[in-house]
Structure formats: C-alpha cells, structure tokens
Amino acid sequence: MAGQEQAAVNAARFVVTGGGGGGASGGSATGAFTLDRASMTSELANLRDLLDRITVQRNKARPMWSIESPGNDPASLRNTEASNKSGLAYLDFLTKQHDFVTVIIGKIETALGMHTANDEQAAQTVNVQGNGDRF
C-alpha cells in the first residue's frame, strides 16, 4: 500500500462493546469503530470470506498479465505489452484489496482478543473481590 493509504489503514481502530443488543454504532468520539462482540465476529467471518474470494480472483486472473505475443511485428508486440500492463494493473488492484482486508482482519482479531482478555481479567477481579482477597 502507498504511504497515505497505509497510514489511514493503520489509524483505523476497532473496539468491542459490552452491549449485546445494539449491533454496530459505526464510530465513536475517539475515532474507533465500535461493534458488539456478535457483530464484530460476524464481520470477521464476512471479511475472511472476502479475502478468500480476492485470493481466488487473483489466481484466476493470472493469464491477464502473462499474455504472449502472437507475432513479432510491432503491432502485436505493442498490443501484448498493453494487455500485460493492464493485467498487471489489475493484479496491483487485487493485491491492494488483499493487503487492506488482511490488515482489517488483524485489527478485528486483535480487538476481539483484547475484549476476551479484559473479560477474563474482570472475572478474576470479581472472584478475588468476592472472596474478600485484595488484588
């Protein structure tokens, strides 16, 4: 990804909310995407499916940038070069999509993992408090 695109993707944050009924709120005052656990898990599955489709598309499109010239005349060579450049531009597009979706999947997985860790810590704290022990 290019510099500005990469910076925008890196700036995206995802936060799992504790609420169970509201679904996605889209954004928050802190600039993070907030979704409840079920919605975020569902979106993660959707993004994994999308990543698989992009990968399949990239593999099927391989002939678009590996065209061989039917002859050595200037017109055939120019046509072949133009066709291969077009195919490579499509490959670049698919690669950018793949990279973007991969980063977003990682961020959602991290948010879900952090939420799980926070839940476990809260449960331990409640148990310790309930037993009369101190932290």
Side-chain angles (χ1 to χ4, degrees):
M1 273 185 254
Q4 286 181 334
E5 293 167 342
Q6 187 66 44
V9 171
N10 287 340
R13 293 184 318 123
F14 292 84
V15 177
V16 179
T17 61
S25 68
S28 70
T30 62
F33 294 96
T34 57
L35 293 95
D36 63 50
R37 187 168 207 41
S39 296
M40 192 172 288
T41 301
S42 175
E43 286 308 312
L44 181 59
N46 290 338
L47 286 168
R48 286 180 177 151
D49 288 344
L50 177 60
L51 188 64
D52 289 343
R53 288 195 310 265
I54 292 168
T55 300
V56 167
Q57 187 64 33
R58 206 166 40 173
N59 291 336
K60 286 184 176 182
R62 202 167 298 283
M64 292 178 68
W65 57 83
S66 57
I67 298 169
E68 292 185 26
S69 181
N72 288 326
D73 59 285
S76 293
L77 294 172
R78 277 194 310 273
N79 247 357
T80 302
E81 182 181 359
S83 296
N84 282 329
K85 282 183 180 179
S86 176
L88 287 170
Y90 184 56
L91 171 63
D92 185 52
F93 167 74
L94 291 173
T95 299
K96 286 179 182 177
Q97 281 188 330
H98 184 277
D99 293 348
F100 175 80
V101 172
T102 300
V103 168
I104 298 302
I105 285 172
K107 287 178 174 281
I108 290 176
E109 287 173 340
T110 298
L112 288 168
M114 286 171 40
H115 185 66
T116 302
N118 290 342
D119 285 350
E120 290 170 0
Q121 179 60 44
Q124 288 176 348
T125 300
V126 168
N127 288 336
V128 168
Q129 286 279 326
N131 293 332
D133 297 329
R134 299 198 178 254
F135 301 127

